[in-house]
Amino acid sequence: MLKNKIKTIFILLALTVISCAKRGSISGGLKDTIAPVLKASFPKNLSVNFKAKEINLTFDEYVKLKNVAKQLIVSPPMKYNPEVSPMTPSKMITIKIKDTLQENTTYSFNFGQSIEDNNEGNPYNQFQYVFSTGSYIDSLKVGGTIKDALNKKEDSFVSVMLYEVNNKFTDSAVYKSVPRYITNTLDSLKTFKIENVKAGKYLLVAMKDENSNNKFNPKKDKIGFRKQLVTIPNDSLFELKLFKEVLAFKTNKPVPTTGNKLLLGYEGDPKNLKVVLKKGNEIIPTIVTKFPAKDSIQVWYRPIKSDSLSLAIANGNYNKSYTFKKTEQKKDTLSFSPKTSLGLSKLDQFSIYSSRPLVKFDESKIKVTDKDSVNVKFSTSYDVYTQELKFDIPKEPLQRYKFHLLPGALTDYIDQKNDTLSYKVTTKNTTDYGNLRVNLSNVKQFPVIVQLTNEKGDVLASEYSDKATSVDFMFLEPAKFTLRVIYDANGNKEWDSGNFLERKQPEEVVYFPKEIDVRSNWDVDQTFDLSK
């Protein structure tokens, strides 16, 4: 009897222990947030008279390398990148130097955020291994900030470089040579600091280096530079503004795309472009239009019988001639498409695009009516370069407009006419829009361009002022806007970029620090102090 009671007690105790174990399961403890610690390095960090070809870094825990090819910045740059291993977790990282080191030079290996612990991914931020092939470590530095010259948001992974001004220095160094010192903003910084620099005179340059070759390629790269040379030591903080240069104008060989059209690719600004098409000595009439969304133009001509043609191109000092075979190509057709098939903004004009250039317009065959079928007065204008036919009408709120074009209203350059075209658009109530008045203070100089953009930098509205300090934006679609002012130094009513060889800085752009919320049926009055 006693034995059975004891046995029962032991069973109950066992069940209690099991139950408690289930309810109070062991947790993993606090999350590890501590970065790896460097225990030893060979040769030692900050070594002088350095001659080693291999560097070993030992840590207090297993570490792994992440994006080391992009994160590791070696200054001065090496012709042959060092080999960093292993790519698997380890307590030791090995750096094999494959380049011949310069004499009496301080080298810096900045790992950015590429070293992190294996378990939690805690990075060893901005770890630097520094050594000198001479008898001392250079300790001077230069720093500052990076901005985009036009856009509010800065690029990531911007290289900042120092070119030593000595007897070998030329203005073409940024195109042909690697810099003496380099750093990178990586993916999170808007500031830069180049350390371990020796005293001297330098050209300071920032570059969005798309090819990662430490050389400036104007076709792909953005650049920013300090116009005056920098003498180090220097305690000043420098601001570098990145911009994309406008390339010198040049063209590619024209390509016939239809029996009466050439496609001509180009670089640079085609604003003053002139073309002359010839069949032998005979000049063939042409029409030049923009090819949508590409750096190309279209050269249109009436169908002619000829095996070959020549095309002469002029733009400023640029002159080029091409001769090409004319082959049979497919024929294009005349068609039309509206710019919008939805609501018509109070500030926009209704427009339609033509697939071929138009040359004749018969407004007697065009009618615009409202929702009550009442005729509406209108006028038209045609932009031949964009092939856009615009309609100007007195837009009334809450209206429905119908645009009706009878056959023959429009004629293209080869005498083809439109079929019947019909389009409908609606307008909103005036209370669906908002209005914004911008009051400018502390304007350094006029004229200025005042612009509203979206987050992507697309210009949604623009006003020009040569003296007025109050600028009105009426009938805005409700949105949050970014406000900026461009100092239009040359008065051409557009923002002008810079040029490195000409030592020309881009025109200054000042951003309002906050987004401006314009809501429907609101009037916003905003002061913009340009001195801040």
Side-chain angles (χ1 to χ4, degrees):
M1 187 73 173
L2 182 60
K3 287 181 179 180
N4 288 337
K5 287 183 178 180
I6 293 172
K7 187 175 181 181
T8 300
I9 291 170
F10 273 114
I11 292 172
L12 291 172
L13 285 172
L15 290 172
T16 302
V17 170
I18 292 170
S19 176
C20 290
K22 288 181 179 178
R23 288 197 302 270
S25 58
I26 299 174
S27 68
L30 295 175
K31 183 179 179 180
D32 178 15
T33 59
I34 301 175
V37 176
L38 181 68
K39 290 183 64 179
S41 59
F42 183 80
K44 288 184 178 181
N45 203 354
L46 303 177
S47 291
V48 296
N49 299 314
F50 187 94
K51 293 181 174 60
K53 285 293 184 181
E54 183 174 297
I55 303 165
N56 292 310
L57 308 174
T58 303
F59 296 86
D60 65 338
E61 60 180 312
Y62 281 90
V63 296
K64 57 186 177 183
L65 294 168
K66 183 178 180 181
N67 296 329
V68 68
K70 196 168 185 178
Q71 291 277 339
L72 175 61
I73 306 299
V74 180
S75 181
M78 294 181 173
K79 183 177 181 180
Y80 305 105
N81 291 328
E83 180 184 310
V84 184
S85 62
M87 292 296 108
T88 55
S90 173
K91 286 190 175 183
M92 180 182 289
I93 290 176
T94 300
I95 306 168
K96 293 183 179 180
I97 299 173
K98 296 185 174 183
D99 204 3
T100 301
L101 300 177
Q102 302 176 44
E103 295 181 354
N104 300 315
T105 300
T106 299
Y107 283 85
S108 170
F109 288 65
N110 188 328
F111 283 82
Q113 295 187 337
S114 62
I115 300 175
E116 55 184 39
D117 70 47
N118 184 50
N119 292 325
E120 299 294 343
N122 298 309
Y124 191 166
N125 280 318
Q126 307 296 323
F127 167 66
Q128 286 184 281
Y129 181 86
V130 179
F131 64 82
S132 174
T133 56
S135 59
Y136 61 90
I137 299 286
D138 290 316
S139 58
L140 300 177
K141 61 185 178 181
V142 61
T145 58
I146 297 293
K147 289 183 66 176
D148 191 279
L150 178 62
N151 300 312
K152 190 172 185 180
K153 186 177 180 181
E154 300 84 2
D155 287 295
S156 58
F157 291 99
V158 174
S159 296
V160 185
M161 307 165 173
L162 286 173
Y163 292 85
E164 188 173 14
V165 180
N166 52 29
N167 56 1
K168 295 181 180 179
F169 175 80
T170 65
D171 285 344
S172 62
V174 297
Y175 304 92
K176 301 177 180 179
S177 308
V178 296
R180 173 70 177 185
Y181 299 102
I182 188 169
T183 190
N184 195 283
T185 61
L186 301 180
D187 55 353
S188 60
L189 300 177
K190 299 177 184 177
T191 60
F192 68 88
K193 182 168 61 176
I194 305 178
E195 299 180 289
N196 304 113
V197 179
K198 72 175 183 178
K201 189 174 289 186
Y202 297 90
L203 171 67
L204 178 60
V205 170
M207 195 183 302
K208 178 60 178 175
D209 185 11
E210 299 292 351
N211 288 336
S212 300
N213 62 354
N214 299 322
K215 295 177 183 177
F216 179 45
N217 180 355
K219 289 185 179 181
K220 296 183 178 181
D221 301 337
K222 287 183 179 180
I223 193 169
F225 61 93
R226 170 82 174 169
K227 191 172 183 178
Q228 296 79 21
L229 297 177
V230 175
T231 300
I232 297 176
N234 196 313
D235 294 331
S236 300
L237 292 176
F238 301 101
E239 182 181 78
L240 299 175
K241 297 179 180 180
L242 285 173
F243 60 89
K244 186 78 169 58
E245 285 189 354
V246 176
L247 299 175
F249 185 81
K250 62 180 286 189
T251 56
N252 303 322
K253 187 172 183 178
V255 178
T257 57
T258 67
N260 47 285
K261 181 178 68 175
L262 303 172
L263 191 63
L264 182 68
Y266 65 84
E267 294 178 357
D269 186 354
K271 184 164 48 180
N272 298 315
L273 175 69
K274 295 180 180 179
V275 302
V276 177
L277 183 67
K278 286 185 176 182
K279 172 188 174 183
N281 293 323
E282 179 189 357
I283 296 178
I284 308 301
T286 57
I287 296 176
V288 175
T289 69
K290 180 76 173 74
F291 189 79
K294 286 190 177 181
D295 289 338
S296 299
I297 61 169
Q298 300 169 109
V299 181
W300 305 80
Y301 54 94
R302 294 176 69 90
I304 55 175
K305 292 183 178 180
S306 178
D307 292 333
S308 64
L309 297 170
S310 64
L311 184 70
I313 299 163
N315 189 350
N317 296 324
Y318 180 84
N319 293 277
K320 186 78 173 180
S321 295
Y322 298 99
T323 300
F324 56 93
K325 294 289 185 181
K326 182 176 178 296
T327 58
E328 288 299 322
Q329 302 281 343
K330 65 179 182 179
K331 295 181 179 180
D332 50 18
T333 58
L334 179 62
S335 61
F336 300 89
S337 59
K339 183 177 180 179
T340 178
S341 57
L342 301 173
L344 184 63
S345 166
K346 180 72 174 176
L347 299 178
D348 287 339
Q349 290 178 302
F350 176 73
S351 61
I352 57 177
Y353 296 102
S354 58
S355 63
R356 293 200 298 231
L358 303 177
V359 295
K360 293 181 182 178
F361 310 88
D362 187 349
E363 290 191 355
S364 68
K365 296 181 179 180
I366 302 175
K367 185 167 66 171
V368 182
T369 57
D370 63 15
K371 62 183 178 181
D372 298 320
S373 299
V374 175
N375 289 339
V376 176
K377 289 184 178 181
F378 70 93
S379 62
T380 61
S381 60
Y382 185 67
D383 186 336
V384 65
Y385 190 64
T386 60
Q387 298 172 225
E388 183 180 3
L389 177 64
K390 299 178 181 179
F391 290 80
D392 187 18
I393 61 173
K395 295 180 287 296
E396 299 295 334
L398 299 176
Q399 268 289 1
R400 293 193 303 271
Y401 294 103
K402 182 177 181 180
F403 298 80
H404 191 70
L405 291 80
L406 295 174
L410 310 174
T411 305
D412 72 10
Y413 76 109
I414 56 173
D415 298 325
Q416 297 296 307
K417 302 180 186 298
N418 66 291
D419 294 326
T420 299
L421 301 172
S422 185
Y423 306 101
K424 294 179 181 180
V425 294
T426 60
T427 59
K428 296 180 179 180
N429 200 337
T430 52
T431 57
D432 292 329
Y433 299 100
N435 302 313
L436 169 64
R437 167 164 287 185
V438 178
N439 301 302
L440 304 175
S441 66
N442 295 309
V443 182
K444 289 192 301 185
Q445 62 188 47
F446 286 96
V448 293
I449 307 169
V450 187
Q451 294 182 332
L452 300 178
T453 75
N454 59 17
E455 289 183 353
K456 297 178 181 178
D458 302 322
V459 178
L460 304 178
S462 183
E463 293 291 339
Y464 192 78
S465 174
D466 54 10
K467 61 181 179 180
T469 56
S470 290
V471 177
D472 291 324
F473 294 93
M474 308 297 290
F475 304 110
L476 295 173
E477 298 279 355
K480 290 185 177 180
F481 296 97
T482 297
L483 171 64
R484 70 186 180 195
V485 168
I486 298 171
Y487 283 107
D488 186 21
N490 61 4
N492 65 350
K493 298 186 178 182
E494 62 184 26
W495 178 78
D496 290 290
S497 189
N499 185 281
F500 174 76
L501 283 180
E502 296 175 6
R503 291 297 190 268
K504 174 188 170 186
Q505 294 287 353
E507 288 182 329
E508 184 180 358
V509 180
V510 183
Y511 276 89
F512 188 71
K514 299 178 181 178
E515 283 187 322
I516 298 177
D517 189 6
V518 178
R519 303 180 184 181
S520 59
N521 204 27
W522 272 35
D523 292 320
V524 180
D525 198 291
Q526 180 64 62
T527 298
F528 187 0
D529 185 352
L530 275 75
S531 66
K532 295 181 179 180

